[in-house]
Amino acid sequence: DAGVIQSPRHEVTEMGQEVTLRCKPISGHNSLFWYRQTMMRGLELLIYFNNNVPIDDSGMPEDRFSAKMPNASFSTLKIQPSEPRDSAVYFCASRQTGSNTGELFFGEGSRLTVL
Amino acid sequence: GQQVMQIPQYQHVQEGEDFTTYCNSSTTLSNIQWYKQRPGGHPVFLIQLVKSGEVKKQKRLTFQFGEAKKNSSLHITATQTTDVGTYFCAGVTTDSWGKLQFGAGTQVVVTP
C-alpha cells in the first residue's frame, strides 16, 4: 500500500492567494483527519471526516478554511484567502474502517509558506 | 474541553541514559496512543494502551497507562541516537467519536 498521499509536498504562495491541499487516504480507511502543525501550537486537529461526512470541524480556524471529502478516496483542504499566519505543515491522516480507537496513518505532510 | 498535557517539552539525554516523558489528561480517556516524529518527518504510531494500569514494552521502550486512565508515561532505557525525535501522546475520550487530542510532544535530543 502506498500509504496516505498528500500533495503538494511544498507550497510557497503570496498572501491573499487561494491554497488547495489534497489528500488520498489509505484504501479501506473511512476516517480522515486534517491536522496543522506549528512550533507554537503543536499538532492541531482541524477537521475529522467519517464515511465522507464531517464529524467535527471545531478546529477549523475561521471561514477562510474549508474542507471537503467528495468520496472515500479524496479530500481537500482549502484556504482562501491565505495569510502569513497560515504557514505550517498540514498533515492528513486516515484510520481503518470500523476502528474508533485504531492508529492513525499520517501522510508526509504539505509544508505551506505564505509570504 | 479535553486537554492533554505533556512534559517535559524538551529532553536532552546522554547516549546510554534513561528518560521518561509524561502525559496527563483533564478527562478520563478511553485509550491513549503514542507517536514518534523524526525531524522533518511525520508522526508514526508506536503503541495504543486501553486498559487501566496497562504496561506494554517495545524493546527499550516501556509504556504505561495510569489506573485512573488520565495519565500515561513513556520510559526509554539506554537511549540511542536513533531515539532522536519528538514523542507525542494522543488521548481518546469515550464521547469524542474517536477523535485524538495530541499533547504538545517531548522533543528528545541525544548526545553521543
Side-chain angles (χ1 to χ4, degrees):
Chain A
D1 199 320
V4 175
I5 300 173
Q6 290 187 246
S7 65
R9 292 293 311 281
H10 302 273
E11 172 126 0
V12 180
T13 191
E14 292 188 344
M15 183 174 62
Q17 296 298 306
E18 178 179 293
V19 173
T20 299
L21 307 179
R22 298 172 177 79
C23 176
K24 177 178 167 51
I26 293 173
S27 178
H29 287 192
N30 72 337
S31 294
L32 185 140
F33 302 76
W34 281 101
Y35 284 90
R36 176 172 69 176
Q37 186 175 41
T38 60
M39 287 294 291
M40 291 298 294
R41 301 176 69 89
L43 266 170
E44 299 175 275
L45 177 65
L46 300 177
I47 189 168
Y48 161 32
F49 291 89
N50 198 43
N51 291 320
N52 313 338
V53 176
I55 300 299
D56 186 342
D57 65 354
S58 59
M60 295 287 265
E62 48 198 272
D63 293 344
R64 297 186 298 107
F65 284 69
S66 62
K68 293 182 180 179
M69 193 164 185
N71 58 62
S73 59
F74 184 65
S75 176
T76 58
L77 177 67
K78 187 175 291 187
I79 308 172
Q80 166 64 19
S82 59
E83 296 181 3
R85 60 190 168 126
D86 301 331
S87 298
V89 180
Y90 291 81
F91 286 105
C92 175
S94 68
R95 183 165 61 192
Q96 193 166 14
T97 300
S99 170
N100 268 351
T101 57
E103 67 179 280
L104 292 187
F105 292 81
F106 282 80
E108 296 188 350
S110 293
R111 181 175 294 276
L112 173 65
T113 302
V114 183
L115 303 175
Chain B
Q2 179 199 356
Q3 292 245 342
V4 175
M5 309 299 291
Q6 198 171 346
I7 55 170
Q9 188 175 0
Y10 298 100
Q11 183 77 54
H12 199 154
V13 189
Q14 196 82 20
E15 193 173 14
E17 290 182 341
D18 301 353
F19 77 89
T20 304
T21 174
Y22 300 90
C23 185
N24 291 287
S25 170
S26 57
T27 56
T28 302
L29 299 171
S30 169
N31 68 83
I32 195 160
Q33 300 179 9
W34 286 87
Y35 291 77
K36 178 183 178 180
Q37 184 177 20
R38 293 184 185 277
H42 58 279
V44 175
F45 175 83
L46 293 176
I47 208 159
Q48 176 172 278
L49 303 171
V50 179
K51 299 176 183 176
S52 169
E54 188 171 14
V55 178
K56 287 188 177 180
K57 292 188 177 183
Q58 287 181 350
K59 297 183 181 178
R60 296 177 295 101
L61 278 61
T62 301
F63 303 85
Q64 188 165 3
F65 202 7
E67 293 291 339
K69 301 184 74 172
K70 296 179 74 171
N71 58 73
S72 181
S73 64
L74 160 59
H75 181 78
I76 301 182
T77 58
T79 305
Q80 300 177 358
T81 54
T82 53
D83 295 325
V84 164
T86 301
Y87 293 83
F88 294 96
C89 63
V92 179
T93 56
T94 53
D95 59 349
S96 65
W97 292 82
K99 180 173 74 174
L100 269 75
Q101 185 74 38
F102 278 80
T106 295
Q107 184 179 347
V108 176
V109 175
V110 180
T111 306

